[in-house]
Amino acid sequence: MTISPSPHFVIFPFMSQGHTIPLLYLSRILTDRSITVTIITTPANYSAIRVAIKNNSINIIDIPFPQNVVDVPPGIELTDNLPSMSSFIRFVEATEQLKPRFEELVSSLQPAVSCIISDGFLMWTQDSADKLKIPRLCFYGANIFSMTMCNVMAQFKPHANVGSNDEPFLVPGFGKMKLTVNDFEPPFSELDPKGPALDFLMKQQKAMSRSHGLVVNSFYELEANFNEYWDRNYGPKAWLVGPFCVAKPSAINYSDIPIKVMEKPTWIQWLDKKLETNDSVVYVSFGTQAEASKEQIHEVAIGLEKSNISFIWVMKPKQLQYIGSGFEDRVKARGKLVVEWVDQMEILKHESVCGFLSHCGWNSMLESMCAGVPVLAMPLMAEQHLNARIVVEEIGMGLRLWARGKVARGLVGQEEVAKVVLELMEGEGGRKARERVTEVRKGAYGAMKDGGSSSRTLDSLIDHVTG
Ligand code: UDP
């Protein structure tokens, strides 16, 4: 009798934190199901992945990133570190030079590779998968709501007759749901798109349509009607198998560790003190990618100061420069600024944290949901405006910050920041959002446990690619 080897999944994340982190969680989930997992990355990303994965049974292999890429400084192998997002497409295109080495590697791995899960931006991996006759699944990091809405825009152009980018229009096929042009980025916001952004998108969509489906970091109960609409009208099939952050090991229990060996990070110590004095804290972060303007950072800072609520703000060095001197001293008693990489989930799960002022990156939204923390939605770029719509209007687990004139884009003023922060912490809107996020949290954990919707979908996905 021959014993068939265990399935072997190759995971190839795109080189940005928001796209890599969820696939690391997914690798843990697959390993827990006795699947062999190999993660492919590039040399500059290797150590961070090794540290984050916390699991020696997962193989990590790096292949060299191309040198001499126009507008991409040497050694930059993560889009978060690009000097400007204007070099993003060039960065993505450069990854195609990894193709020969990727194919050589995948064909040599043992046991033989049963499935490739690679990022949608690494569109050339579809050609490799076809050549090597290995099923490929595509991952974008986005929810199925935003992907469906973008397709609906391209197909029906429901914005054809609006008077302005802020005038709401009905979304065909979705009852009373309304969106605005400003909820979308080009090319979806345009009526007659042309140029490099469209070409880039078309290439990705062609590759995705040839794949065995989309792996989606979400769960059926959260976006049932969008999931069904997508599978019925668009495709390839969306496999909703998340939220992956549930797979993260729980936050370190510092009381189990001798103090000299492991000190709590200063921000966790600060949150502990806030808990002792019964102070509720808002966590603020605009993620790894978004470039908020100097004016916007200033308005947020002053709004937080005016709200009189305690806050912890994890920011990039550039954002600290924008805030300038004086602010930290003025808010010293109740505000903490952190310019380091933090374990965001650990912060969100801290008992003193009662709200998350966020740019609405989808990972952050799922992490907030799984920690049971309501969101203050302040989207900045990419599909974040759509995430804000689903989180606030469809799911109801947060409140929205609007730009002046109650519009989706533009400067969010300090009065708005102060008002909405206070409403979340002390008002009726905050109470409702808190109640709702508690229910959604239960749904998220329920989906991931044995017999839950995401767990069953993952079983079918594994059968599909290995059967
Ligand atoms: N993150 C983190 N520590 C930090 C900053 C970010 O752990 O100091 C993580 C965060 O928990 C999330 C990811 O980085 O998993 C950011 O992804 P998201 O989709 O929220 O936003 P993006 O940065 O891609 O815009």
Side-chain angles (χ1 to χ4, degrees):
M1 192 179 85
T2 47
I3 299 171
S4 43
S6 76
H8 185 174
F9 279 46
V10 159
I11 310 263
F12 194 1
F14 181 66
M15 303 85 175
S16 75
Q17 301 284 9
H19 285 235
T20 298
I21 292 170
L23 285 183
L24 303 188
Y25 297 155
L26 178 63
S27 303
R28 297 177 57 92
I29 295 170
L30 293 169
T31 309
D32 288 348
R33 287 174 183 250
S34 307
I35 289 175
T36 303
V37 175
T38 300
I39 297 172
I40 300 193
T41 187
T42 64
N45 293 308
Y46 181 93
S47 315
I49 291 184
R50 176 52 70 214
V51 170
I53 201 80
K54 294 190 185 84
N55 188 329
N56 287 332
S57 64
I58 296 177
N59 313 312
I60 307 169
I61 302 179
D62 55 1
I63 50 183
F65 192 82
Q67 301 298 306
N68 305 321
V69 182
V70 179
D71 290 341
V72 177
I76 300 287
E77 298 178 10
L78 193 68
T79 58
D80 317 32
N81 300 337
L82 283 173
S84 151
M85 285 303 279
S86 59
S87 349
F88 185 81
I89 293 186
R90 258 195 239 284
F91 182 98
V92 173
E93 284 169 352
T95 65
E96 191 157 358
Q97 294 178 48
L98 300 169
K99 195 173 176 203
R101 191 65 199 95
F102 173 73
E103 291 176 1
E104 203 183 307
L105 176 66
V106 172
S107 53
S108 69
L109 288 172
Q110 288 300 327
V113 174
S114 351
C115 176
I116 297 169
I117 301 180
S118 59
D119 198 281
F121 288 140
L122 305 172
M123 46 206 122
W124 50 268
T125 55
Q126 186 59 49
D127 291 338
S128 305
D130 291 346
K131 185 169 154 191
L132 301 172
K133 300 197 169 34
I134 299 171
R136 171 195 176 227
L137 291 148
C138 180
F139 174 77
Y140 270 106
N143 52 52
I144 204 64
F145 162 76
S146 60
M147 296 193 70
T148 304
M149 290 305 111
C150 289
N151 277 25
V152 167
M153 284 291 270
Q155 185 183 0
F156 298 108
K157 308 216 179 289
H159 53 318
N161 297 316
V162 291
S164 83
N165 288 351
D166 294 307
E167 186 183 315
F169 55 80
L170 284 166
V171 181
F174 291 93
K176 290 185 180 155
M177 193 173 82
K178 286 185 175 175
L179 293 174
T180 67
V181 172
N182 270 336
D183 291 316
F184 296 85
E185 296 275 322
F188 301 106
S189 55
E190 291 162 356
L191 276 176
D192 187 18
K194 288 186 195 67
L198 182 70
D199 299 344
F200 181 61
L201 182 85
M202 295 309 293
K203 265 170 99 179
Q204 290 172 55
Q205 290 207 332
K206 270 194 192 142
M208 179 176 77
S209 68
R210 285 159 45 214
S211 75
H212 281 243
L214 263 178
V215 172
V216 184
N217 190 7
S218 186
F219 57 105
Y220 176 77
E221 292 80 358
L222 194 69
E223 6 181 33
N225 53 340
F226 306 110
N227 185 180
E228 281 168 16
Y229 191 94
W230 173 273
D231 283 349
R232 214 172 35 242
N233 298 290
Y234 301 127
K237 180 177 168 52
W239 306 84
L240 273 62
V241 291
F244 304 155
C245 58
V246 167
K248 194 174 163 53
S250 29
I252 298 165
N253 185 353
Y254 294 98
S255 55
D256 291 345
I257 302 167
I259 203 93
K260 276 192 195 126
V261 178
M262 171 74 88
E263 274 229 336
K264 287 183 187 182
T266 52
W267 48 93
I268 298 295
Q269 294 179 29
W270 186 85
L271 287 171
D272 287 348
K273 287 215 179 88
K274 288 284 159 199
L275 192 61
E276 279 165 20
T277 50
N278 248 336
D279 246 350
S280 300
V281 177
V282 172
Y283 167 54
V284 186
S285 168
F286 299 127
T288 59
Q289 209 72 79
E291 292 167 352
S293 68
K294 183 174 180 178
E295 294 71 29
Q296 187 58 81
I297 295 297
H298 178 260
E299 293 298 306
V300 171
I302 304 301
L304 287 168
E305 185 176 359
K306 283 186 173 165
S307 75
N308 256 322
I309 298 286
S310 293
F311 64 90
I312 178 163
W313 187 348
V314 175
M315 59 175 62
K316 297 182 189 174
K318 199 170 182 183
Q319 294 170 343
L320 185 64
Q321 272 172 30
Y322 289 166
I323 287 181
S325 56
F327 177 74
E328 269 192 279
D329 275 347
R330 294 201 306 275
V331 296
K332 193 160 59 197
R334 58 182 182 81
K336 181 154 183 72
L337 308 186
V338 180
V339 194
E340 277 177 74
W341 185 260
V342 300
D343 180 340
Q344 176 163 295
M345 201 62 184
E346 186 184 16
I347 293 185
L348 284 167
K349 281 184 167 172
H350 197 282
E351 268 182 273
S352 64
V353 173
C354 297
F356 182 10
L357 171 48
S358 170
H359 70 306
C360 301
W362 188 237
N363 295 303
S364 292
M365 296 300 89
L366 291 171
E367 289 162 12
S368 212
M369 199 180 287
C370 291
V373 173
V375 166
L376 287 158
M378 206 187 104
L380 295 168
M381 58 169 256
E383 89 293 11
Q384 294 158 12
H385 292 81
L386 290 168
N387 295 345
R389 291 274 184 199
I390 187 173
V391 161
V392 176
E393 291 166 27
E394 300 293 313
I395 306 173
M397 53 167 269
L399 304 176
R400 179 70 184 263
L401 286 99
W402 296 104
R404 292 194 175 114
K406 209 177 172 215
V407 295
R409 289 191 196 236
L411 195 72
V412 175
Q414 48 188 268
E415 318 76 34
E416 175 78 354
V417 174
K419 185 183 91 187
V420 185
V421 165
L422 273 170
E423 176 63 20
L424 186 86
M425 303 306 264
E426 295 169 2
E428 180 58 13
R431 193 191 58 72
K432 283 191 184 147
R434 214 170 302 285
E435 242 174 54
R436 185 70 189 119
V437 77
T438 309
E439 286 168 18
V440 181
R441 179 178 186 275
K442 271 195 209 134
Y445 278 87
M448 290 300 280
K449 72 176 192 215
D450 279 354
S453 62
S454 292
S455 174
R456 282 184 280 116
T457 304
L458 185 58
D459 289 340
S460 334
L461 182 154
I462 295 167
D463 284 351
H464 171 82
V465 292
T466 57

